[in-house]
Amino acid sequence: MGQEDDKGTTWQKAEAAFTGKRYSEYYDPCQEAADRKGGKTEGETGTGEESILKPEQGLETLEAMASMILRKQAINMELALRGLKDHPDQQIHDAIVQEEWRHALQLIEKREKKLKKAQVNDWLTACKASVLLMLPEPAKRRQGRVLLDTLYSRTPPVVDFNAVETIQSFAELRHEPDPRMDILWMQAANAQPTDEQLHRHWFLSRFRMRHWQGARKAGMTYTKHFPNKRDPFFWTILANFMASETLPDENSEKQLCGTMAYRMCAKAAEAVVLDRDQELKNGRVIRKLDDIVFLLDVYESQRKYEEAIEILESDRTGIRSRIGRRSWKLVTSKIRLLGSAHRWLDQFKYCFELLEDASPVNDKPQVHGFGKLGNDGYVWTTLVKATLSLKASSWTIDGDATDAENSATTVRGAIDQNFYKNTRLAVASLLDDYQMDRNAMCAGIYWATKLARDVQGEKLATKAFEYFETYGHKTFCFNDLQPYVGAMQTPVIQCFLHKVRAWLMGRGYGFNHLNQDKPFDRNTLMAKTNALKLEYCLIYSRDKEPDDVTEATSIETFIVECLSCYGFALENSENNAEKPREIAERFPGDDAGLLAAAALLKFDRKTQNDQKLRAMILLDELITRSPAMYEVFGILILLYVRVGAGSLAARTYHGLSIKNIQLPTLSWLLWTRLSTIHPHRSQLKDVTLPNNVRVSKGEADPVQHLMQALDYHMHLQETDQQEILEFLEAKQYASLHRAIRNSRHNLSGFVKYLLFTEWARTERVSGLHHKCDYRTLLDQPVNTYDNRDESSVPHWEHPDSTPLLLEVMPGDWPTVEWLSHQMTIAHTFEHVTNGSEFKPKSNVGPNPTTYSEAETSMTREEHSQYQTTVECQTLLNLFESQGADEAARTAASWSISASFESIEKRQQAVNDELATVPKRESRYLWVISDQVLAPSWLFFHVCYINLDTVILIRRTLDTVEIANRKHRILDLQSASDQIMRIRKLCDELHVIIHDVAIRLYEDFSSDRYLEPMVHSIIGRPSDPCEKDPIAHWLRHHFDRGTDDAGKAAEAYVMRLSRAWCEALRNLCKLASPS
């Protein structure tokens, strides 16, 4: 080493850690993770990872992209630390770190001149070839390619570790995988078989890129040369396991990889000994609980259920062993595996013994020793399922004794000839022991749903009412009952609800009145709310109400009852609360208010009077008073989008106080089709959100929210990668397997691609150009994982009825086919705008001639746009082809004429229909009352979809004309009239949309609709209560006895009108003919 660099302060701090390391040992993100934890990587250095060489799964492009981002960051960071004192290549390193490729090339050539003629430096050659490929000049790139091909094919082969690592690192930066990289690694490993760091680098390079076939080869070679090491053995199992999961079914190696993983796990389990000291000498052995869980995952994937059960029952690796440590996770795994193996009797016995150990009246020694932990809902449910499976099994026929006599053991008495009867009695006896236990009562209800003799559900109703009596005052009561009560028939429903009403009447909380003299009781109020949920679920949520429910109140009376319960709880909470009402998060009765809003939305479909306004003002009050009710946010966001008030939807979305809930779970609710309803920035002035929070227009901007959500999903890849590396470093292979699986789901997540298509349309239609570019997502994965969280909207409906989420969503539920169509449209726009290539295998969706709107969940306008997109693709492909013969030119002329004609007819039909929007019968308007017609989401949707389509048509025509002038494929003179007519129709569309938007804007910018809309919410003061009891309640509730009637409703209507005016004003600007 020479003199110390005066400026090398970074090196002075890190000298002790890095002196003597080879270049490769600085490429290790695992080391960074270990440093943060204060741990070590035990030499687990990384080299970077080559891109996937085969399409082993539908995510290779995305995984390569995610790894490339992390890899580039790691190279920049790690090379910066490689400031070796007086190293002859330090300047080259610095130039590469700063991406000064030309300067790096000069330094490399200068360094080459100092080498002797016979001296060979593969690392320097690799650096030169890689730097040349980073330069933009074609000649330099060709020179670099020649050098790189020479290294790949050289004899003797390149075995220098640093050269191989450099080739791969730069290949990843260029995102240019080469299948020959595996050969280079193999040659280097065979030349230096005792170099453990080389083998580790080889495996980690493949692991980080999820190239499991390459990781298998690296792991097997590593294990071969270091047979007693633990890491390579388990890494090889992991690589084989992941390859068996990700390889397509038709791949012949899929089964081979799974079998190899299973056999290696079996050897690891067999190697476990009771002597701890002897076990530590062997690296190929199960040592901890996480290893057992990983082993079970492998066994289960290969359907080795019996072998897995033997592992769990073994003294060395079982639940009672020193490794198993009586883990409840292993208990649930055993229960599941017994069912998978169809060992119903053993499963029944095991669950029964667990529950008997946990029984409050059990005075016998415990069989398994888990005590109260055995009283688990999963155990109870499995016990019932096992009993039913025993009934259906082949060895119990007509109650005659068969093999059951020999195989069954005693469980609460002898199991002899009538096997199923005895097991059923045993379960009933066990249920009696638990009496009022929640899990036991839920199991009893589940049992009642399976009774063949209980056709009407009478036994079910009895069990459900017993449960309601015991737990009706708990918030979880309805959620426990909802999965089962739907099996009741109509007469039983009537009897069940009658019992519930009688029970509540005895406590002063009847369905027809509230006892104001009774003390405020939170428990009984919650019971009333649960009873209202049950009545809503069983009667009013159904798409068609039962005809013979004679005692059921009308839905209008039911809504008033819900509102009365909400108001009563609100008044008493305000009087009794120790803290001011404004800062509280949630209060008793809030669910009753939310239930009233849900019933109003159901009522909206069954009445001529619109109820959405009433539901919205009620939900708006709920999130103001109880900002922790996140399920309210989801409904209100969708409602605002449905009525075309995009700015109010964005403000409500911004009102969420926990952003981690907002981004992964609710962003898709806001942005499903919002780019076709509100694709522009908010123009409103500063607004006030619930709890008097002042928000600027930028913070309530839907476009900003969209980009935040997209950034979250994009950065999620880096977070997942870091988590995976940490699990690998900690040797937690079961957790690592799950993290990799979650990472695959995140990479192909439906929400991310939904947000991308919305972002792309927003940028096209509004003309905004954002600093962030997400076009790397244009390559949609083959297998899209639907990660939309539907629990963000409450589901209190009957199993046979339409969920509330679908009631309020604008349009049909978007499916994977819908997303594929949207990605096709986005890719076509990218082609006509930036000249990108078509990738039909991954982006083009189903043929529009064979798929209808209903089959793809598209609206009529979306389907029409997709058809136009396919026509535009046809035109582009015809005009961008070169060298066509005369016959091909003739066929192309006919196809071009047909495509132009199809586009022209479709555009003419769109213009004719939009011209009818001002008429009352138009499907694009929201009829609030006899006097008020408001623009619905469908009005904005059809306008923006067609404006987007017009942009595509114009760009396609421009591209076609430019391509034809360049290549002279066809004579466009014959089609010039068609092109002119299409352009004219596009101009007419702008005029029609602009005129309609202007007329609607003039209506809502005045106070013309203010009074009628207020009356549609709270009614007229002169109207009697009997005429509209809902309006009467709302008037009394919001006015609170003041003389200024309708003030709250008027303020709300003005907010809604301003949102419409903003949306119409922006539509006018975008549709302006100029």
Side-chain angles (χ1 to χ4, degrees), residues 846-867:
N847 191 323
T849 61
T850 59
Y851 281 76
S852 65
E853 300 100 89
E855 291 173 306
T856 55
S857 71
M858 292 191 294
T859 63
R860 185 196 303 177
E861 290 71 29
E862 289 170 339
H863 191 260
S864 175
Q865 184 184 32
Y866 180 71
Q867 289 179 313

PDB file of all heavy atoms in Angstrom, residues 846-867:
ATOM      1  N   PRO A 846     -58.641 -10.081 -24.865  1.00  0.00           N
ATOM      2  CA  PRO A 846     -59.502 -10.926 -25.688  1.00  0.00           C
ATOM      3  C   PRO A 846     -59.997 -10.195 -26.926  1.00  0.00           C
ATOM      4  O   PRO A 846     -60.039  -8.967 -26.991  1.00  0.00           O
ATOM      5  CB  PRO A 846     -60.657 -11.274 -24.743  1.00  0.00           C
ATOM      6  CG  PRO A 846     -60.117 -11.031 -23.367  1.00  0.00           C
ATOM      7  CD  PRO A 846     -59.142  -9.908 -23.511  1.00  0.00           C
ATOM      8  N   ASN A 847     -60.403 -10.967 -27.912  1.00  0.00           N
ATOM      9  CA  ASN A 847     -60.929 -10.410 -29.149  1.00  0.00           C
ATOM     10  C   ASN A 847     -62.271  -9.729 -28.875  1.00  0.00           C
ATOM     11  O   ASN A 847     -63.168 -10.344 -28.315  1.00  0.00           O
ATOM     12  CB  ASN A 847     -61.121 -11.538 -30.169  1.00  0.00           C
ATOM     13  CG  ASN A 847     -61.416 -10.999 -31.552  1.00  0.00           C
ATOM     14  OD1 ASN A 847     -62.105  -9.998 -31.689  1.00  0.00           O
ATOM     15  ND2 ASN A 847     -60.881 -11.677 -32.563  1.00  0.00           N
ATOM     16  N   PRO A 848     -62.424  -8.461 -29.248  1.00  0.00           N
ATOM     17  CA  PRO A 848     -63.665  -7.758 -28.935  1.00  0.00           C
ATOM     18  C   PRO A 848     -64.886  -8.341 -29.639  1.00  0.00           C
ATOM     19  O   PRO A 848     -66.000  -8.094 -29.243  1.00  0.00           O
ATOM     20  CB  PRO A 848     -63.388  -6.329 -29.396  1.00  0.00           C
ATOM     21  CG  PRO A 848     -62.330  -6.470 -30.436  1.00  0.00           C
ATOM     22  CD  PRO A 848     -61.485  -7.625 -30.002  1.00  0.00           C
ATOM     23  N   THR A 849     -64.668  -9.120 -30.666  1.00  0.00           N
ATOM     24  CA  THR A 849     -65.810  -9.704 -31.356  1.00  0.00           C
ATOM     25  C   THR A 849     -66.366 -10.917 -30.627  1.00  0.00           C
ATOM     26  O   THR A 849     -67.479 -11.348 -30.907  1.00  0.00           O
ATOM     27  CB  THR A 849     -65.404 -10.118 -32.778  1.00  0.00           C
ATOM     28  OG1 THR A 849     -64.358 -11.107 -32.684  1.00  0.00           O
ATOM     29  CG2 THR A 849     -64.896  -8.932 -33.568  1.00  0.00           C
ATOM     30  N   THR A 850     -65.590 -11.479 -29.705  1.00  0.00           N
ATOM     31  CA  THR A 850     -66.041 -12.668 -28.974  1.00  0.00           C
ATOM     32  C   THR A 850     -66.352 -12.386 -27.523  1.00  0.00           C
ATOM     33  O   THR A 850     -66.877 -13.249 -26.841  1.00  0.00           O
ATOM     34  CB  THR A 850     -64.971 -13.768 -29.056  1.00  0.00           C
ATOM     35  OG1 THR A 850     -63.754 -13.275 -28.493  1.00  0.00           O
ATOM     36  CG2 THR A 850     -64.731 -14.181 -30.489  1.00  0.00           C
ATOM     37  N   TYR A 851     -66.018 -11.209 -27.026  1.00  0.00           N
ATOM     38  CA  TYR A 851     -66.270 -10.862 -25.629  1.00  0.00           C
ATOM     39  C   TYR A 851     -67.183  -9.641 -25.573  1.00  0.00           C
ATOM     40  O   TYR A 851     -66.893  -8.609 -26.166  1.00  0.00           O
ATOM     41  CB  TYR A 851     -64.958 -10.556 -24.891  1.00  0.00           C
ATOM     42  CG  TYR A 851     -64.199 -11.774 -24.478  1.00  0.00           C
ATOM     43  CD1 TYR A 851     -63.478 -12.502 -25.398  1.00  0.00           C
ATOM     44  CD2 TYR A 851     -64.196 -12.202 -23.151  1.00  0.00           C
ATOM     45  CE1 TYR A 851     -62.775 -13.637 -25.026  1.00  0.00           C
ATOM     46  CE2 TYR A 851     -63.499 -13.327 -22.763  1.00  0.00           C
ATOM     47  CZ  TYR A 851     -62.794 -14.041 -23.710  1.00  0.00           C
ATOM     48  OH  TYR A 851     -62.098 -15.164 -23.320  1.00  0.00           O
ATOM     49  N   SER A 852     -68.269  -9.769 -24.847  1.00  0.00           N
ATOM     50  CA  SER A 852     -69.194  -8.650 -24.697  1.00  0.00           C
ATOM     51  C   SER A 852     -68.790  -7.787 -23.520  1.00  0.00           C
ATOM     52  O   SER A 852     -67.881  -8.112 -22.775  1.00  0.00           O
ATOM     53  CB  SER A 852     -70.622  -9.182 -24.486  1.00  0.00           C
ATOM     54  OG  SER A 852     -70.685  -9.894 -23.256  1.00  0.00           O
ATOM     55  N   GLU A 853     -69.522  -6.660 -23.349  1.00  0.00           N
ATOM     56  CA  GLU A 853     -69.231  -5.797 -22.206  1.00  0.00           C
ATOM     57  C   GLU A 853     -69.426  -6.538 -20.888  1.00  0.00           C
ATOM     58  O   GLU A 853     -68.638  -6.384 -19.954  1.00  0.00           O
ATOM     59  CB  GLU A 853     -70.130  -4.561 -22.223  1.00  0.00           C
ATOM     60  CG  GLU A 853     -69.977  -3.688 -23.473  1.00  0.00           C
ATOM     61  CD  GLU A 853     -71.080  -3.933 -24.471  1.00  0.00           C
ATOM     62  OE1 GLU A 853     -72.124  -3.277 -24.394  1.00  0.00           O
ATOM     63  OE2 GLU A 853     -70.886  -4.814 -25.329  1.00  0.00           O
ATOM     64  N   ALA A 854     -70.482  -7.337 -20.792  1.00  0.00           N
ATOM     65  CA  ALA A 854     -70.774  -8.040 -19.536  1.00  0.00           C
ATOM     66  C   ALA A 854     -69.675  -9.029 -19.192  1.00  0.00           C
ATOM     67  O   ALA A 854     -69.310  -9.191 -18.032  1.00  0.00           O
ATOM     68  CB  ALA A 854     -72.123  -8.751 -19.641  1.00  0.00           C
ATOM     69  N   GLU A 855     -69.117  -9.703 -20.200  1.00  0.00           N
ATOM     70  CA  GLU A 855     -68.101 -10.715 -19.938  1.00  0.00           C
ATOM     71  C   GLU A 855     -66.788 -10.095 -19.504  1.00  0.00           C
ATOM     72  O   GLU A 855     -65.987 -10.744 -18.836  1.00  0.00           O
ATOM     73  CB  GLU A 855     -67.893 -11.571 -21.189  1.00  0.00           C
ATOM     74  CG  GLU A 855     -69.085 -12.449 -21.516  1.00  0.00           C
ATOM     75  CD  GLU A 855     -68.903 -13.161 -22.847  1.00  0.00           C
ATOM     76  OE1 GLU A 855     -68.639 -12.481 -23.854  1.00  0.00           O
ATOM     77  OE2 GLU A 855     -69.040 -14.385 -22.861  1.00  0.00           O
ATOM     78  N   THR A 856     -66.537  -8.877 -19.874  1.00  0.00           N
ATOM     79  CA  THR A 856     -65.289  -8.221 -19.494  1.00  0.00           C
ATOM     80  C   THR A 856     -65.511  -7.123 -18.468  1.00  0.00           C
ATOM     81  O   THR A 856     -64.586  -6.388 -18.152  1.00  0.00           O
ATOM     82  CB  THR A 856     -64.623  -7.601 -20.740  1.00  0.00           C
ATOM     83  OG1 THR A 856     -65.549  -6.735 -21.389  1.00  0.00           O
ATOM     84  CG2 THR A 856     -64.187  -8.688 -21.701  1.00  0.00           C
ATOM     85  N   SER A 857     -66.737  -6.980 -17.947  1.00  0.00           N
ATOM     86  CA  SER A 857     -67.125  -5.970 -16.953  1.00  0.00           C
ATOM     87  C   SER A 857     -66.876  -4.558 -17.447  1.00  0.00           C
ATOM     88  O   SER A 857     -66.686  -3.646 -16.647  1.00  0.00           O
ATOM     89  CB  SER A 857     -66.387  -6.200 -15.627  1.00  0.00           C
ATOM     90  OG  SER A 857     -65.016  -5.878 -15.721  1.00  0.00           O
ATOM     91  N   MET A 858     -66.859  -4.335 -18.745  1.00  0.00           N
ATOM     92  CA  MET A 858     -66.661  -3.003 -19.301  1.00  0.00           C
ATOM     93  C   MET A 858     -67.999  -2.313 -19.500  1.00  0.00           C
ATOM     94  O   MET A 858     -69.020  -2.957 -19.754  1.00  0.00           O
ATOM     95  CB  MET A 858     -65.919  -3.079 -20.638  1.00  0.00           C
ATOM     96  CG  MET A 858     -64.479  -3.523 -20.535  1.00  0.00           C
ATOM     97  SD  MET A 858     -63.582  -3.287 -22.096  1.00  0.00           S
ATOM     98  CE  MET A 858     -64.430  -4.433 -23.134  1.00  0.00           C
ATOM     99  N   THR A 859     -67.968  -0.999 -19.384  1.00  0.00           N
ATOM    100  CA  THR A 859     -69.139  -0.233 -19.779  1.00  0.00           C
ATOM    101  C   THR A 859     -69.228  -0.217 -21.301  1.00  0.00           C
ATOM    102  O   THR A 859     -68.295  -0.608 -22.011  1.00  0.00           O
ATOM    103  CB  THR A 859     -69.037   1.207 -19.267  1.00  0.00           C
ATOM    104  OG1 THR A 859     -67.892   1.851 -19.872  1.00  0.00           O
ATOM    105  CG2 THR A 859     -68.866   1.240 -17.754  1.00  0.00           C
ATOM    106  N   ARG A 860     -70.364   0.243 -21.795  1.00  0.00           N
ATOM    107  CA  ARG A 860     -70.538   0.309 -23.246  1.00  0.00           C
ATOM    108  C   ARG A 860     -69.465   1.194 -23.879  1.00  0.00           C
ATOM    109  O   ARG A 860     -68.925   0.870 -24.949  1.00  0.00           O
ATOM    110  CB  ARG A 860     -71.924   0.860 -23.574  1.00  0.00           C
ATOM    111  CG  ARG A 860     -72.246   0.861 -25.068  1.00  0.00           C
ATOM    112  CD  ARG A 860     -73.445   1.749 -25.390  1.00  0.00           C
ATOM    113  NE  ARG A 860     -74.621   1.343 -24.630  1.00  0.00           N
ATOM    114  CZ  ARG A 860     -75.780   1.988 -24.692  1.00  0.00           C
ATOM    115  NH1 ARG A 860     -75.890   3.072 -25.453  1.00  0.00           N
ATOM    116  NH2 ARG A 860     -76.819   1.577 -23.977  1.00  0.00           N
ATOM    117  N   GLU A 861     -69.158   2.292 -23.214  1.00  0.00           N
ATOM    118  CA  GLU A 861     -68.162   3.227 -23.758  1.00  0.00           C
ATOM    119  C   GLU A 861     -66.754   2.614 -23.735  1.00  0.00           C
ATOM    120  O   GLU A 861     -65.973   2.804 -24.681  1.00  0.00           O
ATOM    121  CB  GLU A 861     -68.176   4.521 -22.939  1.00  0.00           C
ATOM    122  CG  GLU A 861     -69.433   5.363 -23.126  1.00  0.00           C
ATOM    123  CD  GLU A 861     -70.663   4.742 -22.489  1.00  0.00           C
ATOM    124  OE1 GLU A 861     -70.482   4.007 -21.471  1.00  0.00           O
ATOM    125  OE2 GLU A 861     -71.784   4.969 -22.968  1.00  0.00           O
ATOM    126  N   GLU A 862     -66.421   1.893 -22.663  1.00  0.00           N
ATOM    127  CA  GLU A 862     -65.109   1.252 -22.611  1.00  0.00           C
ATOM    128  C   GLU A 862     -64.969   0.176 -23.672  1.00  0.00           C
ATOM    129  O   GLU A 862     -63.905   0.023 -24.285  1.00  0.00           O
ATOM    130  CB  GLU A 862     -64.901   0.640 -21.221  1.00  0.00           C
ATOM    131  CG  GLU A 862     -64.689   1.674 -20.127  1.00  0.00           C
ATOM    132  CD  GLU A 862     -64.730   1.067 -18.733  1.00  0.00           C
ATOM    133  OE1 GLU A 862     -65.305  -0.031 -18.568  1.00  0.00           O
ATOM    134  OE2 GLU A 862     -64.191   1.692 -17.804  1.00  0.00           O
ATOM    135  N   HIS A 863     -66.042  -0.555 -23.902  1.00  0.00           N
ATOM    136  CA  HIS A 863     -66.005  -1.587 -24.943  1.00  0.00           C
ATOM    137  C   HIS A 863     -65.850  -0.958 -26.321  1.00  0.00           C
ATOM    138  O   HIS A 863     -65.100  -1.465 -27.176  1.00  0.00           O
ATOM    139  CB  HIS A 863     -67.279  -2.418 -24.878  1.00  0.00           C
ATOM    140  CG  HIS A 863     -67.227  -3.662 -25.710  1.00  0.00           C
ATOM    141  ND1 HIS A 863     -67.807  -3.744 -26.957  1.00  0.00           N
ATOM    142  CD2 HIS A 863     -66.647  -4.863 -25.486  1.00  0.00           C
ATOM    143  CE1 HIS A 863     -67.599  -4.949 -27.462  1.00  0.00           C
ATOM    144  NE2 HIS A 863     -66.904  -5.648 -26.593  1.00  0.00           N
ATOM    145  N   SER A 864     -66.545   0.145 -26.547  1.00  0.00           N
ATOM    146  CA  SER A 864     -66.418   0.836 -27.828  1.00  0.00           C
ATOM    147  C   SER A 864     -65.002   1.368 -28.022  1.00  0.00           C
ATOM    148  O   SER A 864     -64.441   1.271 -29.120  1.00  0.00           O
ATOM    149  CB  SER A 864     -67.428   1.994 -27.895  1.00  0.00           C
ATOM    150  OG  SER A 864     -67.273   2.751 -29.068  1.00  0.00           O
ATOM    151  N   GLN A 865     -64.408   1.905 -26.962  1.00  0.00           N
ATOM    152  CA  GLN A 865     -63.032   2.396 -27.082  1.00  0.00           C
ATOM    153  C   GLN A 865     -62.069   1.261 -27.387  1.00  0.00           C
ATOM    154  O   GLN A 865     -61.128   1.423 -28.182  1.00  0.00           O
ATOM    155  CB  GLN A 865     -62.600   3.108 -25.798  1.00  0.00           C
ATOM    156  CG  GLN A 865     -61.213   3.727 -25.909  1.00  0.00           C
ATOM    157  CD  GLN A 865     -60.733   4.346 -24.613  1.00  0.00           C
ATOM    158  OE1 GLN A 865     -61.066   3.870 -23.527  1.00  0.00           O
ATOM    159  NE2 GLN A 865     -59.929   5.391 -24.702  1.00  0.00           N
ATOM    160  N   TYR A 866     -62.294   0.113 -26.757  1.00  0.00           N
ATOM    161  CA  TYR A 866     -61.399  -1.019 -27.020  1.00  0.00           C
ATOM    162  C   TYR A 866     -61.526  -1.477 -28.468  1.00  0.00           C
ATOM    163  O   TYR A 866     -60.520  -1.802 -29.124  1.00  0.00           O
ATOM    164  CB  TYR A 866     -61.720  -2.167 -26.067  1.00  0.00           C
ATOM    165  CG  TYR A 866     -60.834  -3.361 -26.296  1.00  0.00           C
ATOM    166  CD1 TYR A 866     -59.490  -3.340 -25.946  1.00  0.00           C
ATOM    167  CD2 TYR A 866     -61.337  -4.515 -26.895  1.00  0.00           C
ATOM    168  CE1 TYR A 866     -58.671  -4.431 -26.165  1.00  0.00           C
ATOM    169  CE2 TYR A 866     -60.529  -5.604 -27.130  1.00  0.00           C
ATOM    170  CZ  TYR A 866     -59.195  -5.563 -26.754  1.00  0.00           C
ATOM    171  OH  TYR A 866     -58.391  -6.641 -26.983  1.00  0.00           O
ATOM    172  N   GLN A 867     -62.749  -1.505 -29.010  1.00  0.00           N
ATOM    173  CA  GLN A 867     -62.920  -1.881 -30.406  1.00  0.00           C
ATOM    174  C   GLN A 867     -62.202  -0.904 -31.333  1.00  0.00           C
ATOM    175  O   GLN A 867     -61.555  -1.304 -32.305  1.00  0.00           O
ATOM    176  CB  GLN A 867     -64.410  -1.934 -30.744  1.00  0.00           C
ATOM    177  CG  GLN A 867     -65.144  -3.105 -30.097  1.00  0.00           C
ATOM    178  CD  GLN A 867     -66.620  -3.110 -30.426  1.00  0.00           C
ATOM    179  OE1 GLN A 867     -67.279  -2.079 -30.334  1.00  0.00           O
ATOM    180  NE2 GLN A 867     -67.136  -4.257 -30.813  1.00  0.00           N
TER     181      GLN A 867
END
